Amino acid sequence: MAFTRKARFVAGGHMTEAPSSLTYLSVVLRETVQIALTIAALNDLDIMAVSIGNAYLNAPYREKVYFTTGTEFSAKKGQYVVVIRALYGLKTSGAAWRAFLAQTMYNLGFKSCNAGPDLWMKPGVKND
């Protein structure tokens, strides 16, 4: 049996202040999903859904954030570390992740729905 180790770093965002304009929580509305599923069923369209694990860690962080390493870093204890990816716990990580996801989806040819910006569509041709 193979074992892997995984570290999860969570920032103490509750100890910082951030402008409310930078915070964001991306949630697809239930009604948006219901309408999309209905349209897909009526037009015999394929639906794809995805859940992205460790999502925030994929997004580059826009602000300058650093911290001092603790005892868990052994020989590197006390050194400064610069955060280059969004961390869970930072107030602006949600906005950084949403911006990164949106750019990636646009690059893949998807378009955001006007009714629900977190519903993504891509035109396609169905072979009959």
Side-chain angles (χ1 to χ4, degrees):
M1 175 181 266
F3 291 99
T4 58
R5 294 184 181 182
K6 182 177 180 180
R8 176 160 291 157
F9 295 103
V10 178
H14 63 287
M15 296 186 293
T16 65
E17 291 186 26
S20 61
S21 62
L22 295 177
T23 60
Y24 182 82
L25 179 59
S26 181
V27 177
V28 180
L29 297 175
R30 180 180 49 211
E31 292 81 4
T32 303
V33 173
Q34 290 172 336
I35 291 169
L37 291 174
T38 302
I39 291 170
L42 292 172
N43 293 289
D44 194 29
L45 299 174
D46 293 330
I47 297 277
M48 293 189 316
V50 65
S51 177
I52 301 170
N54 297 321
Y56 284 7
L57 302 179
N58 294 304
Y61 205 62
R62 296 179 278 191
E63 286 77 34
K64 296 280 185 194
V65 176
Y66 67 93
F67 64 92
T68 306
T69 57
T71 56
E72 62 275 5
F73 286 87
S74 302
K76 298 188 185 250
K77 178 184 180 236
Q79 293 184 1
Y80 289 103
V81 178
V82 177
V83 176
I84 60 170
R85 297 284 182 199
L87 291 178
Y88 291 95
L90 294 175
K91 293 181 181 182
T92 56
S93 291
W97 163 245
R98 175 61 171 82
F100 178 73
L101 175 66
Q103 187 59 53
T104 302
M105 295 299 281
Y106 282 122
N107 292 345
L108 292 172
F110 287 85
K111 292 187 179 177
S112 182
C113 177
N114 290 337
D118 294 313
L119 175 68
W120 295 86
M121 302 174 292
K122 183 176 184 179
V125 177
K126 189 164 183 101
N127 297 329
D128 290 328

